[in-house]
Amino acid sequence: MAALNYHHLRYFWMIANENNLTRAAEKLHVSQSALSIQLRQLEDSLGQKLFDREGKRLHLTEAGRIALDYANAIFKAGDELVSLMHGRPASMRQLLRIGAVSTLSRNFQLELVRSLLLRSDIELVLHSGSLRELLAQMHTHTLDLVLSNRPIPRDAENNWHCHLLDEQAVSLVGKPVEGEPMLRFPEDLATIPLLLPSMESEIRAAFDFLLEQAGIRPQVIAEVDDMAMLRLLARDSGHLALVPPVVVQDELRQGILVEKHRISAIRERFYAITPNRRFPNAMVRELLKVSSRDKIGNASG
């Protein structure tokens, strides 16, 4: 096996960061044709294509993304060596990039990654966004894992794997009121203002269907697509909110909010979506193994 040419690797690193062969050649003070040859030699030595080309645009392949991660680690190690020789501490950490849909409970995310935060050998990068945005990032190999409250079907174009991490019944929660009678579900909801997840939420769809079957038209005071905001509104408004208990676990523990009614027929499910890759991040496998063993819901109610 041929030894890795670090000169070629530095050139590749510059191309990947500039995302443009011409700009990289200008910064490296070499001709574009010479740079192309160096890149081709690196690809030949690794036995993998590192870029897909669309006109003048370059896109990292899966192998290219892995090579870039290693190149970043190698050059960072060089910087840390210099730092170490000058008496400054150095460390090597493995990168794990996780995306989470903005509607997902922050408490659930925290319970999932809590053990990783205690490890000095892992650098954790967390992104938030819409499911479409995050899946697009995973498709371009800039995310290793996407957390979602919706499953994603596999198809010919996107060979995702969808792992069920946990599920729990949702509840109507509100501030405790002394002497308040027990909530009669669902009949009392015809007259009580409610804070609900947005129409795109699966638990909202199930909730609406349940009330429709009972002939109840709810008084919706607000629709919220962010669980963190729904939690704050439940704390401060005095209205009932429809949430998975994990969203308000701290408030329930402290008695700031109480469960008025748990709706066992409606379940919130939490998924980890991973790509089918030739070079999977080993930390993803470890994280899924831990979560399936410990079941996040055991810690979140």
Side-chain angles (χ1 to χ4, degrees):
M1 183 180 295
L4 179 64
N5 187 315
Y6 292 94
H7 190 65
H8 293 167
L9 188 65
R10 173 67 73 173
Y11 280 8
F12 157 74
W13 181 86
M14 182 63 75
I15 297 169
N17 281 279
E18 290 298 322
N19 200 29
N20 183 281
L21 203 62
T22 303
R23 287 198 302 269
E26 291 173 353
K27 287 200 171 186
L28 292 166
H29 305 292
V30 298
S31 69
Q32 185 172 330
S33 59
L35 189 57
S36 295
I37 292 172
Q38 304 271 15
L39 175 60
R40 195 175 310 118
Q41 289 174 344
L42 178 63
E43 290 179 324
D44 289 343
S45 70
L46 295 176
Q48 300 290 337
K49 188 177 179 182
L50 301 178
F51 291 100
D52 286 324
R53 295 163 176 81
E54 292 182 7
K56 295 184 178 181
R57 294 181 60 84
L58 297 174
H59 301 281
L60 285 168
T61 62
E62 182 186 347
R65 172 56 59 183
I66 299 297
L68 181 58
D69 286 345
Y70 272 94
N72 285 332
I74 288 168
F75 297 135
K76 182 180 178 182
D79 293 338
E80 290 182 342
L81 174 61
V82 175
S83 296
L84 186 63
M85 293 298 104
H86 286 83
R88 296 187 295 270
S91 65
M92 288 293 292
R93 296 190 294 171
Q94 184 174 351
L95 186 65
L96 177 62
R97 297 160 300 211
I98 299 177
V101 296
S102 55
T103 57
L104 197 68
S105 163
R106 302 297 191 270
N107 285 335
F108 178 84
Q109 296 175 48
L110 177 59
E111 293 294 342
L112 182 66
V113 304
R114 187 186 298 278
S115 62
L116 301 181
L117 299 175
L118 303 175
R119 294 180 54 168
S120 60
D121 61 331
I122 298 175
E123 180 178 348
L124 192 60
V125 177
L126 299 174
H127 291 278
S128 180
S130 70
L131 185 57
R132 178 178 293 182
E133 292 167 344
L134 297 174
L135 291 178
Q137 291 179 55
M138 195 162 65
H139 185 72
T140 57
H141 314 296
T142 55
L143 287 178
D144 300 305
L145 171 84
V146 171
L147 300 175
S148 172
N149 44 15
R150 287 172 46 200
I152 298 298
R154 297 173 68 178
D155 54 37
E157 183 178 354
N158 298 309
N159 191 16
W160 314 123
H161 297 287
C162 204
H163 313 265
L164 178 63
L165 298 178
D166 193 21
E167 64 176 23
Q168 58 181 247
V170 301
S171 299
L172 288 165
V173 303
K175 289 185 174 182
V177 178
E178 189 175 354
E180 182 181 51
M182 184 177 295
L183 178 71
R184 296 175 303 155
F185 181 87
E187 51 265 35
D188 284 349
L189 300 188
T191 58
I192 297 176
L194 297 175
L195 304 168
L196 299 179
S198 66
M199 300 292 286
E200 290 75 25
S201 166
E202 290 194 345
I203 64 173
R204 170 63 187 279
F207 181 75
D208 286 349
F209 179 76
L210 199 62
L211 293 196
E212 182 181 341
Q213 292 295 100
I216 304 293
R217 293 179 60 89
Q219 296 186 24
V220 182
I221 199 72
E223 297 180 353
V224 187
D225 66 358
D226 186 303
M227 283 294 172
M229 178 57 71
L230 192 55
R231 167 178 168 255
L232 292 177
L233 291 176
R235 283 179 55 129
D236 298 338
S237 70
H239 298 308
L240 290 190
L242 179 72
V243 293
V246 65
V247 174
V248 291
Q249 64 180 12
D250 295 332
E251 288 77 9
L252 292 174
R253 191 179 299 122
Q254 297 164 18
I256 298 171
L257 296 172
V258 295
E259 280 188 294
K260 303 289 185 173
H261 183 78
R262 178 166 291 200
I263 312 174
S264 300
I266 303 177
R267 312 290 292 181
E268 173 81 317
R269 293 176 173 85
F270 302 93
Y271 299 92
I273 303 167
T274 59
N276 183 25
R277 287 184 177 163
R278 295 177 60 192
F279 311 103
N281 188 321
M283 286 309 308
V284 170
R285 219 168 21 241
E286 186 173 333
L287 182 64
L288 294 178
K289 186 184 300 182
V290 170
S291 65
S292 63
R293 183 180 66 234
D294 296 344
K295 275 296 180 185
I296 307 302
N298 290 341
S300 58

